[in-house]
Amino acid sequence: MAKRYYRRKSNTSIISDTVFIGARLPWWGALVLGAVLFVIFYFAIPAWIESKILVHGDSPLLFAVSEVMSRRMHWSQYIGIACGLVGVYFAIRNFLVAKSAFYPERGIIGFVARMLGREIN
């Protein structure tokens, strides 16, 4: 029987998808994409989770869930920073160079955005 290979889903697929889309957009589209994703992942998702925790704050089970989610809130902020950096990079790049980026450049940019996102967060 042949070995099966499974692709693991992770938060880096969000960054890879952002790199793929940002490479094909015009400069203003990449800037808007980066800004929107930054606001969503850095501000909106943590605020939404906090509001859900505050609404149902008296439940003992929700107290445990809130402790776990408050420790994991930085993951969403890390994705927001990385997507914002991707948007800024492709806005500058697509303004200066009018053609879309190829696969090797997209891979490098995704890697650099992940590393800088971890350092900034």
Side-chain angles (χ1 to χ4, degrees), residues 50-96:
E50 287 291 327
S51 71
K52 291 296 179 187
I53 290 171
L54 290 176
V55 167
H56 303 290
D58 54 349
S59 172
L61 179 63
L62 198 60
F63 176 73
V65 171
S66 69
E67 288 298 315
V68 170
M69 290 306 294
S70 65
R71 292 182 186 154
R72 305 292 189 258
M73 202 79 67
H74 68 279
W75 289 349
S76 174
Q77 294 173 342
Y78 151 67
I79 294 171
I81 291 170
C83 290
L85 289 172
V86 167
V88 168
Y89 171 78
F90 280 114
I92 294 169
R93 185 211 179 271
N94 293 347
F95 183 75
L96 299 175

